[in-house]
Amino acid sequence: MATTLQVTNGTGNESVAVYLTLGTQTGNATIGDFKKFTSIGGSYLAGYITLGSYESYTFSEGIYMNGNLCFGCEPQCPGPGIPQFPSGTTAFEFNLNVPGGNNEGIDISCVNGVNSFITVDVSGGGTFITNGSPAPLPIYNKGAGHSDNYGLYGVYPAGCTSCTGGVHNAPCSNVPNQQPQKDPICLLSRDGNDGGGTIYVTFTGYYNGPASAK
């Protein structure tokens, strides 16, 4: 069954730039597959769209998509490139409508830090599993404090490329490690043959900014 992805600006007082970065897997979607998205620097794998207050965008139903969504800036490390987001960039990561019926997967990654709050819910389709049990939904992230994202299903804490080990070999060496998860609850996955329904990704606000919008 085809899985649909929808992204929403859930704030009532500001527009938000939604950045889409896609992987290089064979058959994966490209920016040209999605109307209204503007390519970044002519790239076929990176683009953005601006959503007004409470505005939503629905991606093409059933298309193979592997990549991430970020809000306010492209996925980056904290530093001079994004001074309005001193704690890095939060990403929603996805692997949907995978060829051959392989597993679908979703998570919220704070590996590169935290600049925004994201909530993800699912309607229809098969059940997402994490650590051998049905995942509690919706999933969401919190801030950049040491234990802020500890115990939250579907969330990789800052600097934790390994869910439970906190292995810090991510691109952002200047992101302080948050507390790793006790159990392997970071990734939600389901059998691709049990896909379908809609994945709802909602931006609910910025963390530490953005100063440039004030």
Side-chain angles (χ1 to χ4, degrees):
M1 297 179 63
T3 302
T4 300
L5 178 64
Q6 182 181 96
V7 60
T8 298
N9 175 5
T11 65
N13 56 5
E14 59 186 332
S15 61
V16 61
V18 181
Y19 289 84
L20 171 64
T21 305
L22 295 161
T24 58
Q25 295 84 353
T26 300
N28 194 16
T30 66
I31 294 300
D33 290 318
F34 307 118
K35 296 180 180 179
K36 299 184 179 181
F37 266 82
T38 299
S39 170
I40 297 173
S43 172
Y44 69 97
L45 296 176
Y48 72 94
I49 187 174
T50 299
L51 297 179
S53 175
Y54 299 124
E55 185 178 4
S56 297
Y57 180 88
T58 302
F59 293 86
S60 305
E61 180 179 347
I63 193 168
Y64 172 39
M65 295 180 65
N66 180 287
N68 65 66
L69 294 173
C70 294
F71 299 92
C73 65
E74 296 178 73
Q76 299 179 54
C77 301
I82 49 171
Q84 72 272 37
F85 299 127
S87 298
T89 313
T90 317
F92 167 68
E93 299 180 317
F94 54 83
N95 191 31
L96 304 174
N97 298 306
V98 187
N102 291 318
N103 282 1
E104 294 189 317
I106 57 174
D107 66 76
I108 298 172
S109 174
C110 299
V111 172
N112 290 357
V114 181
N115 80 311
S116 58
F117 298 114
I118 302 172
T119 298
V120 181
D121 208 348
V122 180
S123 175
T127 301
F128 277 96
I129 302 296
T130 187
N131 195 27
S133 299
L137 293 165
I139 60 172
Y140 58 90
N141 70 290
K142 292 184 178 180
H146 179 67
S147 60
D148 282 358
N149 290 300
Y150 179 73
L152 296 183
Y153 286 83
V155 180
Y156 281 87
C160 296
T161 54
S162 168
C163 185
T164 58
V167 179
H168 198 146
N169 57 1
C172 301
S173 60
N174 54 344
V175 173
N177 278 27
Q178 288 188 315
Q179 185 174 355
Q181 304 292 14
K182 178 182 177 181
D183 299 308
I185 60 173
C186 297
L187 177 66
L188 277 55
S189 64
R190 67 181 178 186
D191 189 319
N193 295 312
D194 293 328
T198 301
I199 313 295
Y200 298 98
V201 181
T202 304
F203 165 77
T204 60
Y206 287 115
Y207 177 78
N208 284 348
S212 61
K214 296 179 180 179

